[in-house]
Amino acid sequence: MATTSTRAGNDKKLMLFSGRGHPELARQVAAELDIEVTPQTARDFANGEIFVRFEESVRGSDAFVLQSHPQPLNTWLMEQLIMIDALKRGSAKRITAVLPFYPYARQDKKHRGREPISARLIADLLKTAGADRLITVDLHTDQIQGFFDGPVDHMHADRTLTEYIGAKYDLQRITVVSPDSGRVRSAEKWADSFGGRPLAFIHKTRDPLVPNQVKANRVVGDVDGQTCILIDDMIDTGGTIAGAVRVLKEAGAGDVVIAATHGILSDPATARLAECGAKEVVVTNTLPIDDLKRFDTLTVLSIAPLLARTIREVFENGSVTSLFDGHA
């Protein structure tokens, strides 16, 4: 029978808490852990202020606060900070913030003067609120791990995605394609997982003054007749990835399968992806994808098993690294 907490041999108590950003994912993680999400009261005041109170004692617990950050992102970020503060003041022993999608991750450096590094600010806010540790999935850049003053478990969804694609498509016809030169290293890992398949990438230009607009120019690599697995960490408005599909098709590619961890899918992403010519678009549920954002060629895989295994390893002081490279 599932309970709201579980205890290890040294009498530690694991408790899982969920914000309102993506409660279905929290329920899936809780089911994997064979516990229940700790009940809480969460409501908004008329002026937008958020109130949170947990319905059970959290004293001495190993607390995991899971919150996804879809729109309105700032609301769910503030709610997570308030939850962490409530746990700190309730005498939780250790607080781990679980962010399947790290907010503001694209603002990880200054492109020009007088710009913020917002990804660092998020890390500072989480630490100040009382988080001792972070768990996140597929950061936009690895350097964000260094922004948080404490342990960061940076998990990767590539195994979840590659196992699905490898079971469905002919590996001998696959070419892994990076949407730009910056993600070639990730593409290499994907290609290795498919048995050493060839690589290609899209050469593109971006105007630093205009967000969400990228021009895909040409393919570097041989994709003629190949099943192209076009990978990225996130899909926001879909302009970059839809343009890459068009360039691949013009270069003679066969089927194009888009694979990404985070399906943000801001308008008009759904229309762009449905009409871009991709055979399938595969994402995980690090962010909620409601019925209005779904289309016939979209497949959503659950990230809950990975998050649950990570939480279990952290709770039991095991090796998180072993979950993605097979070695402790």
Side-chain angles (χ1 to χ4, degrees):
M1 184 70 177
T3 62
T4 56
S5 64
T6 184
R7 292 183 181 272
N10 58 0
D11 207 37
K12 290 196 303 177
K13 181 171 66 170
L14 185 157
M15 300 184 75
L16 178 66
F17 303 86
S18 171
R20 293 174 292 171
H22 194 356
E24 176 57 31
L25 176 58
R27 286 192 288 268
Q28 292 178 16
V29 171
E32 293 281 339
L33 291 168
D34 196 27
I35 62 174
E36 294 178 357
V37 178
T38 305
Q40 68 185 35
T41 298
R43 63 175 181 266
D44 301 324
F45 288 102
N47 67 346
E49 291 180 7
I50 297 169
F51 171 81
V52 173
R53 181 181 184 273
F54 305 116
E55 303 297 334
E56 296 182 5
S57 172
V58 301
R59 185 177 300 275
S61 66
D62 202 344
F64 294 82
V65 187
L66 194 159
Q67 177 75 299
S68 286
H69 298 87
Q71 295 181 5
L73 182 152
N74 295 324
T75 298
W76 305 133
L77 174 60
M78 191 66 198
E79 182 178 78
Q80 188 172 28
L81 295 172
I82 290 171
M83 292 172 68
I84 292 169
D85 183 76
L87 287 166
K88 179 177 67 174
R89 298 177 190 279
S91 300
K93 185 175 183 179
R94 180 172 67 171
I95 303 170
T96 300
V98 184
L99 302 88
F101 171 73
Y102 190 97
Y104 290 91
R106 284 172 287 188
Q107 298 182 41
D108 61 331
K109 59 182 177 292
K110 291 174 64 174
H111 295 278
R112 298 178 299 156
R114 302 180 299 282
E115 290 185 348
I117 304 179
S118 303
R120 170 60 192 265
L121 175 61
I122 298 303
D124 289 343
L125 289 170
L126 290 164
K127 187 68 176 180
T128 300
D132 301 298
R133 188 182 194 107
L134 300 187
I135 295 175
T136 190
V137 182
D138 282 336
L139 290 167
H140 190 58
T141 54
D142 289 342
Q143 72 197 44
I144 295 173
Q145 296 174 80
F147 292 170
F148 183 77
D149 186 17
V152 177
D153 297 303
H154 181 203
M155 308 310 295
H156 302 281
D158 51 357
R159 181 173 296 179
T160 301
L161 294 162
T162 56
E163 286 180 354
Y164 170 83
I165 292 170
K168 187 169 182 179
Y169 295 94
D170 181 3
L171 294 181
Q172 300 305 311
R173 296 181 59 83
I174 281 178
T175 292
V176 180
V177 182
S178 170
D180 54 46
S181 59
R183 301 202 69 79
V184 168
R185 187 172 180 181
S186 295
E188 289 175 345
K189 294 179 181 178
W190 278 65
D192 289 343
S193 69
F194 290 138
R197 298 303 302 159
L199 295 172
F201 73 90
I202 308 294
H203 180 270
K204 68 180 185 181
T205 56
R206 180 190 298 270
D207 185 347
L209 302 179
V210 183
N212 296 116
Q213 289 190 23
V214 174
K215 182 178 181 181
N217 294 322
R218 60 188 176 88
V219 179
V220 178
D222 184 13
V223 299
D224 188 39
Q226 294 291 295
T227 298
C228 291
I229 311 300
L230 180 59
I231 69 166
D232 212 342
D233 63 319
M234 66 177 74
I235 304 174
D236 192 354
T237 61
T240 300
I241 213 79
V245 173
R246 175 183 55 79
V247 171
L248 286 169
K249 288 287 189 178
E250 291 174 353
D255 291 331
V256 179
V257 177
I258 298 170
T261 302
H262 309 297
I264 304 173
L265 304 186
S266 304
D267 285 336
T270 294
R272 283 174 170 170
L273 294 172
E275 299 166 2
C276 71
K279 181 177 179 62
E280 187 174 12
V281 179
V282 187
V283 298
T284 75
N285 65 340
T286 56
L287 293 163
I289 300 176
D290 60 35
D291 291 341
L292 294 176
K293 292 184 177 181
R294 293 181 182 249
F295 48 96
D296 290 343
T297 55
L298 178 68
T299 298
V300 181
L301 306 178
S302 179
I303 202 69
L306 175 62
L307 291 175
R309 290 196 301 269
T310 305
I311 289 171
R312 178 68 67 184
E313 290 294 334
V314 170
F315 175 62
E316 296 179 351
N317 296 322
S319 172
V320 172
T321 304
S322 66
L323 296 179
F324 52 84
D325 71 3
H327 301 285

